[in-house]
Amino acid sequence: MGRAAAAGGGAGGARRWLPWLGLCFWAAGAAAARGADNGEALPESIPSAPGTLPHFIEEPDDAYIIKSNPIALRCKARPAMQIFFKCNGEWVHQNEHVSEESLDESSGLKVREVFINVTRQQVEDFHGPEDYWCQCVAWSHLGTSKSRKASVRIAYLRKNFEQDPQGREVPIEGMIVLHCRPPEGVPAAEVEWLKNEEPIDSEQDENIDTRADHNLIIRQARLSDSGNYTCMAANIVAKRRSLSATVVVYVNGGWSSWTEWSACNVRCGRGWQKRSRTCTNPAPLNGGAFCEGMSVQKITCTSLCPVDGSWEVWSEWSVCSPECEHLRIRECTAPPPRNGGKFCEGLSQESENCTDGLCILDKKPLHEIKPQRWSRRGIENASDIALYSGLGAAVVAVAVLVIGVTLYRRSQSDYGVDVIDSSALTGGFQTFNFKTVRQGNPLLLNSSMQPDLTVSRTYSGPICLQDPLDKELMTESSLFNPLSDIKVKVQSSFMVSLGVSERAEYHGKNHSGTFPHGNNRSFSTMHPRNKTPYIQNLSSLPTRTELRTTGVFGHLGGRLVMPNTGVSLLIPHGAIPEENSWEIYMSINQGEPSLQSDGSEVLLSPEVTCGPPDMTVTTPFALTIPHCADVSSEHWNIHLKKRTQQGKWEEVMSVEDESTSCYCLLDPFACHVLLDSFGTYALTGEPITDCAVKQLKVAVFGCMSCNSLDYNLRVYCVDNTPWAFQEVVSDERHQGGQLLEEPKLLHFKGNTFSLQISVLDIPPFLWRIKPFTACQEVPFSRVWCSNQQPLHCAFSLERYTPTTTQLSCKICIRQLKGHEQILQVQTSILESERETITFFAQEDSTFPAQTGPKAFKIPYSIRQRICATFDTPNAKGKDWQMLAQKNSINRNLSYFATQSSPSAVILNLWEARHQHDGDLDSLACALEEIGRTHTKLSNITESQLDEADFNYSRQNGL
């Protein structure tokens, strides 16, 4: 109403002076007519000619009011005597006009320009059927002209988009269409697209079109098109941003071509060949589906065994020839060489004199041959006799010298007559380096040096060290009895090797100071100073009972752990039917392995038994077995075997095989097996190349000997499984031994080279080592086929004085043409001063059996949600296959596909692998990467876990 009133007031004023203005125009026209009649010319200053109407040079344009700022409308016309604005059909008051007048120099016509201002209030107060508009009216002598109507609108841009773009997941080369409807605004907003905050220029990329109704169209999706897309709307008032839309371009996996069939895995006989393919053509990317089908195929093969040739029997001798010789022959046909076998070695024909030396040469008897020929031959025979006589005399002289030295040393020995002399072995072997002693403690050698705790080097040749100060002797029985088939080498100008071929049979009733093999050797012939053996025998240990643990489990499931062995059993929730419970046991065979290796196959794990055997489960349980192989499919072929009721071992599967009956996941130190039946299981390995590596744990123990001046070092080499080392610890506890250094890992190659153990850097004026013990060698076969049984070597050291209480030396364990480890020994031989080194972390020994929700790391409610999410098939690959891939389960996925809940079985496998760390963060990250959940599992508090367990128990009637 206010705006209408103002417009009406302006119109009323215009009506009051417009008649007067018209009268003025009429008077001026009449005067001009009279002047023309009187013959007066029109002045040049009035260029208007009859018939010329005003022409608009500039007309008012449409305008927008931004916020509260008024806008100016302008128009210009010629020839024009007056120009006025009319807005919404009403004349604008002359006081609101700003007029300027000028003369057009080219035409001499009068030009008039007029401005008016329009405010926001005027536009808001107008309530008409159309937009607020204004128009110019110009007058000349002949009449009036009207300009175009210019609309005036208030500019604005609303905040919310009418349609935000939505995220998409499309396969590669698919079409992407992102819709965007900008907010309502005046003037209409212009749309611009951003990708990762950078503007998109559709003119530079023909694959992208942004012209179709503000939508973004990508005709063929590329991997580079993945990103966050934002729709930007802007006009003269403001800019607005839409929500970001995430576009993921995924690639479904495709199989590569099959590799060539491998060579037959056996040199002869029946074996297998395999070929493989990888899901890399292309590899799954950005959540694409994993390849379906098998990655490995195997077929049987039969290789012909090579047959080496063998000689037939010799033929009969031929008739004696004129040259006084007869021949016989044989052929390599019994059998002939086949399939690449070796040809017979030796001569195929043989000849000899057939007259017993009474041959006739040149038709003459032998006694008629000229004497000069025989005389020359006699001279040669005489010289040969002299040569052989000299050599024999030299041998006799050397033997006499050796016997004399031996008798002299035996008469001076402090250890008895059953000895071997070593005085001749030390000359020229190595020089001795005297080391200074730190002033703070005169009893320690090199006490200022830090211990070299980890040294790893590779050698290509043999080396054997000994202490050149060792001149004492020791008995063969006391030194080599702990390891019966060990070889001890002392390298000097010549080598003395001592070995015992039989394997010791250890009897539990023998005392620790006695010897096996029924050896009743008496020490009465020893010097009276030392009538007791100075090295303790660790081989005679009492027979241990079976290592066993049990627990009662029901429908809730649980976990059964064998403390300090690395062996555990996971019974999933629901594996046992409701209202049922079973007493489940698990044990480890501590005796001789019942699994006898075939050929090059070796035992890599303990033999683990779980039962009862007649128990059935509805969901696979997870059995974790430690192993000692340095895992590599290129060097090892690892098998899971099961013992039958008849005591025979059968192969269940190869770790690399595709199978739906069970699943093996091989980690660096343990194998996690999903099984449906209980029994006795073990892992075996067949080395494919010489680079196959077994991981050995080496440790050194020490204790005082029966002689107060002697100290024993025992170096153990055991397969790197917790159970094998626990055997060593148990043995040493019975013997009173102490661990002197933290155990270290040694990589032992299957290259048939033996293991050497040496004692180095013994303080020369404080300790001395007994003879033949500075370097000991263990045959390759004994180490490689140890079958989880501990091996050890014993070293005996003697103090010069009882005041020496500190021992500092190095133990070098190395494989020829292999790796080496150094154990640094720095200890006090007094128990009160010795620092105790912990054997085990004791992390799993407190609760061997855990039942119910507390046994699992993932709360049951979270587990149900994960299974419900990922068990549902998804064409985009975001299902249980992606869950398996994110948890490093990339092979034999067909096993999980046969399960009623693949996700539950995958989570059971995760529980078995993370029983100690419980790394929920890694699982949460995997789920977040998949994009199905953003729940941070690690933020679940202990109270929430307890509440979830309590609610779960109530639901199940507990």
Side-chain angles (χ1 to χ4, degrees):
M1 292 296 294
R3 184 170 63 180
R15 294 189 187 96
R16 287 195 297 272
W17 57 267
L18 282 178
W20 176 82
L21 181 60
L23 181 61
C24 292
F25 290 160
W26 174 83
R34 287 195 302 271
D37 293 340
N38 295 333
E40 299 177 0
L42 290 174
E44 295 179 0
S45 58
I46 306 176
S48 298
T52 303
L53 291 174
H55 172 70
F56 283 97
I57 302 174
E58 182 178 353
E59 296 184 89
D61 294 325
D62 295 338
Y64 298 94
I65 295 177
I66 301 174
K67 297 183 180 179
S68 298
N69 300 322
I71 54 98
L73 299 179
R74 56 190 297 176
C75 63
K76 184 189 294 186
R78 67 179 179 189
M81 298 177 64
Q82 288 294 340
I83 299 176
F84 292 96
F85 274 91
K86 180 187 287 187
C87 294
N88 303 318
E90 302 291 342
W91 295 101
V92 178
H93 196 278
Q94 62 178 350
N95 294 337
E96 299 179 11
H97 291 74
V98 178
S99 179
E100 294 180 0
E101 187 176 316
S102 62
L103 190 66
D104 188 357
E105 296 179 357
S106 61
S107 62
L109 299 178
K110 186 183 295 184
V111 178
R112 183 176 294 277
E113 185 176 7
V114 178
F115 302 86
I116 66 169
N117 289 328
V118 180
T119 65
R120 181 185 183 97
Q121 188 64 39
Q122 289 175 327
V123 177
E124 289 179 346
D125 291 342
F126 174 70
H127 300 283
E130 54 185 354
D131 293 333
Y132 190 97
W133 60 270
C134 292
Q135 186 181 38
C136 287
V137 180
W139 279 269
S140 68
H141 291 93
L142 187 60
T144 63
S145 296
K146 295 181 180 180
S147 69
R148 65 178 293 276
K149 290 182 179 180
S151 62
V152 179
R153 305 175 68 184
I154 298 175
Y156 68 91
L157 185 63
R158 300 194 184 280
K159 293 184 178 180
N160 297 326
F161 279 71
E162 294 184 4
Q163 182 178 3
D164 286 303
Q166 300 296 319
R168 295 287 307 278
E169 294 183 1
V170 296
I172 193 168
E173 297 184 357
M175 178 178 285
I176 303 175
V177 179
L178 298 181
H179 298 280
C180 176
R181 294 176 59 188
E184 178 186 354
V186 175
E190 296 182 357
V191 172
E192 180 185 23
W193 284 91
L194 304 179
K195 175 189 174 184
N196 298 331
E197 304 302 326
E198 295 292 333
I200 297 176
D201 189 356
S202 60
E203 295 181 357
Q204 295 182 358
D205 192 346
E206 297 180 353
N207 195 39
I208 298 178
D209 185 7
T210 58
R211 298 170 296 178
D213 196 20
H214 308 308
N215 297 330
L216 174 66
I217 300 175
I218 301 178
R219 296 182 179 89
Q220 286 187 331
R222 302 156 296 191
L223 288 177
S224 58
D225 293 326
S226 297
N228 296 320
Y229 289 82
T230 307
C231 182
M232 291 287 297
N235 63 5
I236 59 176
V237 179
K239 289 184 178 181
R240 300 285 185 258
R241 289 173 58 96
S242 71
L243 298 176
S244 294
T246 301
V247 173
V248 177
V249 180
Y250 63 87
V251 179
N252 291 325
W255 289 113
S256 66
S257 300
W258 288 102
T259 61
E260 296 294 332
W261 288 104
S262 65
C264 199
N265 69 321
V266 294
R267 294 186 58 185
C268 65
R270 185 178 178 84
W272 51 261
Q273 294 175 278
K274 69 176 181 179
R275 66 174 183 174
S276 61
R277 58 180 178 174
T278 57
C279 189
T280 56
N281 186 32
L285 193 62
N286 296 337
F290 195 78
C291 303
E292 296 183 357
M294 296 189 300
S295 62
V296 179
Q297 284 185 344
K298 286 189 176 182
I299 59 174
T300 58
C301 58
T302 302
S303 299
L304 296 176
C305 296
V307 177
D308 294 338
S310 181
W311 293 111
E312 288 278 3
V313 297
W314 286 101
S315 66
E316 297 293 334
W317 288 103
S318 66
V319 179
C320 192
S321 68
E323 287 78 17
C324 305
E325 291 183 344
H326 59 178
L327 302 175
R328 65 176 181 176
I329 61 175
R330 59 179 178 176
E331 295 181 352
C332 187
T333 57
R338 296 193 304 271
N339 306 326
K342 296 180 180 180
F343 195 79
C344 302
E345 296 182 358
L347 299 176
S348 61
Q349 93 176 19
E350 192 177 61
S351 64
E352 66 178 17
N353 189 283
C354 55
T355 61
D356 295 331
L358 300 178
C359 184
I360 299 176
L361 299 179
D362 297 331
K363 309 292 184 175
K364 298 180 180 180
L366 289 178
H367 61 274
E368 296 181 2
I369 302 299
K370 293 183 179 181
Q372 57 268 22
R373 177 181 301 178
W374 295 107
S375 62
R376 184 167 56 251
R377 182 172 298 178
I379 294 174
E380 294 176 355
N381 293 337
S383 62
D384 291 343
I385 294 173
L387 175 61
Y388 292 140
S389 300
L391 290 177
V395 171
V396 172
V398 171
V400 171
L401 179 60
V402 170
I403 294 173
V405 172
T406 302
L407 294 176
Y408 173 77
R409 293 297 298 166
R410 180 171 298 179
S411 64
Q412 301 296 325
S413 174
D414 292 334
Y415 297 102
V417 296
D418 189 12
V419 297
I420 298 178
D421 185 19
S422 66
S423 61
L425 305 182
T426 58
F429 177 62
Q430 68 175 29
T431 59
F432 194 84
N433 184 20
F434 291 92
K435 301 181 179 180
T436 59
V437 181
R438 187 172 61 180
Q439 296 178 359
N441 189 347
L443 300 180
L444 280 177
L445 176 65
N446 257 359
S447 58
S448 62
M449 297 176 61
Q450 294 296 325
D452 184 8
L453 298 181
T454 304
V455 179
S456 181
R457 293 190 291 269
T458 302
Y459 294 92
S460 60
I463 184 173
C464 192
L465 303 177
Q466 78 172 69
D467 191 337
L469 297 184
D470 293 337
K471 299 296 182 179
E472 298 293 339
L473 303 175
M474 65 184 297
T475 63
E476 175 186 348
S477 173
S478 61
L479 174 61
F480 304 117
N481 204 42
L483 189 58
S484 57
D485 60 352
I486 199 169
K487 292 183 179 179
V488 182
K489 294 185 177 181
V490 181
Q491 186 169 345
S492 180
S493 56
F494 60 96
M495 181 76 69
V496 176
S497 297
L498 301 177
V500 180
S501 59
E502 295 182 359
R503 180 167 182 171
E505 297 179 359
Y506 303 151
H507 302 282
K509 296 182 180 181
N510 290 346
H511 189 268
S512 61
T514 62
F515 294 88
H517 311 290
N519 189 348
N520 298 320
R521 176 177 298 181
S522 174
F523 287 86
S524 60
T525 59
M526 299 179 64
H527 195 276
R529 182 182 80 163
N530 187 9
K531 294 185 178 180
T532 58
Y534 56 82
I535 189 167
Q536 287 183 330
N537 178 21
L538 297 181
S539 303
S540 303
L541 296 176
T543 303
R544 288 176 292 273
T545 59
E546 186 181 47
L547 194 60
R548 181 186 177 98
T549 184
T550 61
V552 178
F553 297 90
H555 183 67
L556 299 182
R559 192 189 304 268
L560 190 62
V561 178
M562 191 83 70
N564 297 327
T565 63
V567 179
S568 64
L569 182 68
L570 181 75
I571 307 296
H573 170 85
I576 301 176
E578 293 187 24
E579 300 180 357
N580 287 351
S581 62
W582 287 85
E583 181 180 5
I584 298 176
Y585 64 86
M586 187 167 57
S587 63
I588 296 178
N589 178 21
Q590 288 188 289
E592 285 292 330
S594 60
L595 197 161
Q596 300 300 324
S597 301
D598 296 333
S600 60
E601 196 174 46
V602 295
L603 184 64
L604 299 177
S605 75
E607 297 175 2
V608 179
T609 302
C610 53
D614 56 344
M615 175 182 169
T616 58
V617 292
T618 59
T619 302
F621 61 89
L623 178 63
T624 298
I625 305 176
H627 66 82
C628 61
D630 189 7
V631 180
S632 175
S633 59
E634 299 178 357
H635 307 311
W636 281 104
N637 188 12
I638 299 178
H639 306 274
L640 176 68
K641 292 195 173 184
K642 181 180 180 181
R643 188 170 61 189
T644 63
Q645 294 181 353
Q646 292 75 24
K648 296 182 179 180
W649 286 87
E650 294 181 350
E651 180 177 339
V652 179
M653 68 174 295
S654 173
V655 172
E656 297 297 325
D657 282 347
E658 303 280 339
S659 173
T660 57
S661 60
C662 64
Y663 187 89
C664 289
L665 180 61
L666 200 63
D667 279 345
F669 298 102
C671 183
H672 310 282
V673 189
L674 297 176
L675 298 165
D676 294 324
S677 60
F678 291 94
T680 301
Y681 295 91
L683 290 175
T684 63
E686 181 181 0
I688 301 176
T689 67
D690 289 345
C691 296
V693 171
K694 276 183 63 175
Q695 295 179 345
L696 302 180
K697 182 174 291 186
V698 294
V700 56
F701 289 79
C703 69
M704 292 294 294
S705 178
C706 299
N707 189 337
S708 61
L709 294 179
D710 292 345
Y711 191 76
N712 293 333
L713 295 178
R714 290 184 289 274
V715 181
Y716 288 84
C717 299
V718 299
D719 292 343
N720 184 34
T721 58
W723 171 79
F725 187 64
Q726 188 184 22
E727 292 283 286
V728 173
V729 172
S730 178
D731 292 348
E732 284 293 331
R733 282 174 178 167
H734 285 86
Q735 300 298 318
Q738 293 290 330
L739 184 63
L740 304 182
E741 167 67 338
E742 293 185 3
K744 290 182 171 59
L745 207 61
L746 177 68
H747 290 84
F748 190 78
K749 292 184 178 181
N751 57 8
T752 70
F753 287 93
S754 59
L755 187 72
Q756 284 188 350
I757 306 175
S758 308
V759 180
L760 309 175
D761 295 346
I762 301 174
F765 299 109
L766 302 177
W767 294 86
R768 63 178 176 179
I769 189 170
K770 296 302 177 67
F772 307 119
T773 63
C775 179
Q776 302 186 27
E777 183 171 337
V778 184
F780 168 83
S781 59
R782 184 68 187 275
V783 181
W784 189 253
C785 302
S786 60
N787 293 334
Q788 302 288 305
Q789 301 300 311
L791 305 173
H792 76 270
C793 295
F795 298 89
S796 182
L797 306 179
E798 183 181 8
R799 294 178 290 172
Y800 283 98
T801 63
T803 58
T804 301
T805 60
Q806 300 292 326
L807 174 61
S808 173
C809 65
K810 291 181 180 179
I811 309 294
C812 175
I813 304 101
R814 58 180 290 271
Q815 183 187 17
L816 300 181
K817 294 188 179 181
H819 294 275
E820 173 191 77
Q821 274 293 1
I822 298 293
L823 298 177
Q824 180 72 43
V825 177
Q826 285 185 328
T827 185
S828 172
I829 64 175
L830 301 179
E831 295 186 5
S832 59
E833 300 179 3
R834 185 184 298 119
E835 179 181 358
T836 302
I837 299 177
T838 305
F839 294 144
F840 297 102
Q842 304 294 337
E843 59 183 2
D844 58 358
S845 60
T846 306
F847 303 103
Q850 292 180 326
T851 59
K854 287 294 184 181
F856 303 98
K857 306 297 181 182
I858 306 175
Y860 183 72
S861 58
I862 302 297
R863 179 188 179 92
Q864 283 184 314
R865 290 167 54 189
I866 295 175
C867 294
T869 302
F870 289 98
D871 282 343
T872 304
N874 191 310
K876 299 175 183 178
K878 286 189 175 181
D879 52 11
W880 62 266
Q881 297 186 44
M882 180 60 64
L883 180 64
Q885 183 181 1
K886 292 298 181 181
N887 285 279
S888 302
I889 303 173
N890 300 318
R891 47 164 296 277
N892 198 12
L893 297 183
S894 57
Y895 172 82
F896 300 97
T898 61
Q899 305 298 322
S900 59
S901 175
S903 301
V905 180
I906 293 172
L907 295 180
N908 293 339
L909 195 57
W910 184 93
E911 290 275 4
R913 299 177 71 184
H914 298 85
Q915 60 175 315
H916 296 305
D917 53 33
D919 189 8
L920 292 176
D921 277 338
S922 64
L923 181 60
C925 291
L927 297 177
E928 290 178 3
E929 288 180 7
I930 299 175
R932 288 300 187 91
T933 179
H934 297 280
T935 304
K936 191 70 172 177
L937 295 181
S938 60
N939 291 334
I940 300 175
T941 62
E942 191 68 29
S943 60
Q944 290 174 319
L945 294 179
D946 293 340
E947 181 180 357
D949 296 339
F950 175 72
N951 294 334
Y952 170 75
S953 300
R954 292 184 58 188
Q955 293 174 3
N956 288 274
L958 300 179

